[in-house]
Amino acid sequence: MAIIKVGKEDLRESDSSMSELSEYFSSLSASKGRSITYNVKTYGCQLNESDSEKLCGMLEQMGLKEASSDETADIIIFNTCAVRENAEDRLFGNLGIVKADKINDKDRIVAVCGCMTMVEQNVEKIKKSFPYVDMVFDPQHLHLFPVYLRDALRNKKQLVNISAEDYIVEDSLVPIARKRRFRALVPIMYGCNNFCTYCIVPYARGRERSRDMEEIMDELKKLASEGYKEVMLLGQNVNSYRSSKGERFPQILEAAAGIEGFSRIRFMSSHPKDVSEEIVDIMASYPNIETHLHLPLQSGSDRILKLMNRPYNREDYLKTAHYFRDKVPHGAISTDIIVGFPGETEEDFLETLKVVKECGFDSAFTFQYSRRPGTKAATMEDQIPHDVVTERFGRLLELQNDLAYKSNLAKVGKTEEILIEGQSSTAPDILTGRTLSNHLVNFTIPDELKDPSKTSDDYEGMLCDVEFTHARPYSVDGKMVRLK
Ligand code: SAH
Ligand code: SF4
Ligand code: F3S
């Protein structure tokens, strides 16, 4: 299917809808005597987070304000994820909860977008069981959200806009309300061509398509000049980036690292087949590229990897992991692992544990296999019983928790630079941040470094050196030794 590049002229109706809606919301605000508010709930990965920042950007351009946590917003958007069944269940649960709000206030708008909308059964279920949802639209048509919102307000009946074309929309065409003032999420490619047999993403997000390198660079330079410290280059398979002019991921990574102002360049998600020595060499040679590689293993058994349609084997994977460990000695590797893929035997699972041990993952996202209707694996024989999956999952978790703790323990006694993310959720006088290797750190500020004019929020986005004092299973404790 052809990829459609959206230009400024394609957004004319969207822009005019946005102006029309600004006027509408401004008079609604006057008649209600308060601000009109929105709430975008995001499920799933960072690409969805990035899409949500665009929805928020459009809503703010229409004059809406983000609702505070204790109020019900006038516009509620659920930006959904379909990757596992529990993400879907959470949506349906939350849709049930907003029903009462919708009955109390008929002017309220409830929208569902994101990956779940690309699965037909989900849309049917919304139509049938949640008729009070005002609008449903797919993730590829985000740029048309103002048009859909205008139509939903005019027509007062459920509007469903789902189609499967592959679009590429440059970031400069859509307003973005960035959630964190130090971190910019920058998608560089969209979609996936890999069709791992368990995964819904290629159906939800379409085929791979990449943004123009020049556009990406313009965006990055602008972000650096605005004071963003961290940039996260995003893509379902970020390192299969290929522009229409033939530029590849290493060029993007190197050019991004060369822009003055960024302390951290991160990227997500890498597919092991696309992580070349060249990429690792670039990571090793720029001080502002993260020393962290997310390298999803999925399984350590060659037999299962084949059934999963992952085009590498255990040995290829280990080679990349060892190359990274050699070149980036203080770096960290994280991974994704699925337990209980159809046909997984105890022997296969033990192979996974072996690879986990050999790689010594610094952290891991571990998942129980979730059967996704429409994928190849969903029809495979020998689906693994739930109790077997949970038992294996427990063993994997135990091993991985131990490895993560060891990785944190190895930091104790060292001092490293931290990018401060804000106040820790555990205590008001503790700050939280991350090392270049993506280790999570909670730390105190000693009295002599405390600035009474600063609140915890003022530290967000600043850099400091922290001495690590204590390891925990998922984080390291420390104390600030220098604010930069
Ligand atoms: N594109 C990324 C991953 C996107 S989905 C990559 O290939 O690395 C994130 C993770 O969810 C995957 O790495 C996989 O571990 C997990 N996942 C995807 N489909 C799943 C399923 N059906 N059941 C359980 N976990 C799944
Ligand atoms: Fe899913 Fe595989 Fe594509 Fe990742 S590479 S999004 S796991 S199909
Ligand atoms: Fe989920 Fe879609 Fe991301 S299925 S993981 S939100 S691409």
Side-chain angles (χ1 to χ4, degrees), residues 83-84 198 236 269 296 298 310 336 338 367-368 370 372:
V83 82
R84 282 170 293 276
Y198 50 80
Q236 267 91 17
S269 213
Q298 313 302 0
R310 300 283 288 183
D336 293 349
I338 299 177
F367 306 107
Q368 300 189 11
S370 172
R372 305 285 63 216

Side-chain angles (χ1 to χ4, degrees), residues 145-188:
F145 165 63
V147 180
Y148 301 152
L149 181 57
R150 181 202 63 191
D151 292 349
L153 284 163
R154 273 187 193 159
N155 297 335
K156 304 255 180 239
K157 65 174 199 307
Q158 191 174 66
L159 287 190
V160 178
N161 290 287
I162 307 292
S163 56
E165 295 109 339
D166 286 340
Y167 285 96
I168 184 92
V169 189
E170 290 296 345
D171 277 12
S172 57
L173 294 176
V174 188
I176 304 174
R178 300 197 188 267
K179 210 167 164 193
R180 306 303 299 262
R181 63 184 139 138
F182 65 91
R183 172 187 295 148
L185 306 179
V186 179
I188 63 167

Side-chain angles (χ1 to χ4, degrees), residues 31-51:
S31 73
K32 291 199 186 249
R34 60 167 178 83
S35 303
I36 305 303
T37 58
Y38 71 84
N39 182 2
V40 178
K41 291 186 199 296
T42 314
Y43 305 78
C45 63
Q46 263 133 352
L47 272 146
N48 251 20
E49 290 284 352
S50 165
D51 282 351

Side-chain angles (χ1 to χ4, degrees), residues 299-345:
S299 168
S301 151
D302 287 349
R303 201 179 69 81
I304 295 295
L305 284 170
K306 211 173 203 143
L307 288 171
M308 286 177 161
N309 194 30
R310 300 283 288 183
Y312 54 88
N313 59 27
R314 175 182 170 278
E315 205 182 309
D316 303 328
Y317 184 93
L318 287 172
K319 198 167 154 235
T320 307
H322 287 306
Y323 190 79
F324 177 80
R325 292 271 191 225
D326 275 359
K327 288 277 169 168
V328 189
H330 301 294
I333 306 181
S334 60
T335 198
D336 293 349
I337 296 171
I338 299 177
V339 175
F341 183 83
E344 184 188 75
T345 61

Side-chain angles (χ1 to χ4, degrees), residues 43-45 48 80-83 115 200-201 205 236:
Y43 305 78
C45 63
N48 251 20
T80 62
C81 169
V83 82
C115 293
I200 198 78
V201 171
R205 291 287 182 157
Q236 267 91 17

Side-chain angles (χ1 to χ4, degrees), residues 83 191-203 208 236-237 269-271 273 296 298 308-310 336 338:
V83 82
C192 178
N193 292 350
N194 294 322
F195 288 95
C196 301
T197 53
Y198 50 80
C199 186
I200 198 78
V201 171
Y203 306 92
E208 287 176 9
Q236 267 91 17
N237 294 284
S269 213
S270 299
H271 192 298
K273 78 174 165 58
Q298 313 302 0
M308 286 177 161
N309 194 30
R310 300 283 288 183
D336 293 349
I338 299 177

Side-chain angles (χ1 to χ4, degrees), residues 42-177:
T42 314
Y43 305 78
C45 63
Q46 263 133 352
L47 272 146
N48 251 20
E49 290 284 352
S50 165
D51 282 351
S52 287
E53 290 188 343
K54 289 173 182 157
L55 288 166
C56 295
M58 290 185 263
L59 288 161
E60 297 208 349
Q61 192 154 317
M62 295 174 211
L64 277 80
K65 301 264 173 295
E66 189 168 17
S68 61
S69 55
D70 59 349
E71 69 181 326
T72 310
D74 297 292
I75 297 186
I76 305 169
I77 302 180
F78 294 95
N79 190 9
T80 62
C81 169
V83 82
R84 282 170 293 276
E85 199 175 351
N86 53 10
E88 296 193 344
D89 291 345
R90 268 171 58 213
L91 170 78
F92 291 123
N94 285 335
L95 278 184
I97 294 167
V98 299
K99 184 174 181 181
D101 295 328
K102 180 77 191 172
I103 290 167
N104 285 339
D105 181 355
K106 292 262 182 289
D107 287 340
R108 195 163 273 146
I109 293 282
V110 177
V112 176
C113 61
C115 293
M116 273 179 75
T117 65
M118 294 303 292
V119 178
E120 212 178 315
Q121 297 96 296
N122 289 331
V123 177
E124 288 312 311
K125 185 163 172 178
I126 293 170
K127 282 185 187 161
K128 195 163 152 256
S129 309
F130 304 93
Y132 53 88
V133 168
D134 299 280
M135 49 196 283
V136 182
F137 60 98
D138 68 79
Q140 295 242 30
H141 290 83
L142 212 70
H143 53 288
L144 297 183
F145 165 63
V147 180
Y148 301 152
L149 181 57
R150 181 202 63 191
D151 292 349
L153 284 163
R154 273 187 193 159
N155 297 335
K156 304 255 180 239
K157 65 174 199 307
Q158 191 174 66
L159 287 190
V160 178
N161 290 287
I162 307 292
S163 56
E165 295 109 339
D166 286 340
Y167 285 96
I168 184 92
V169 189
E170 290 296 345
D171 277 12
S172 57
L173 294 176
V174 188
I176 304 174

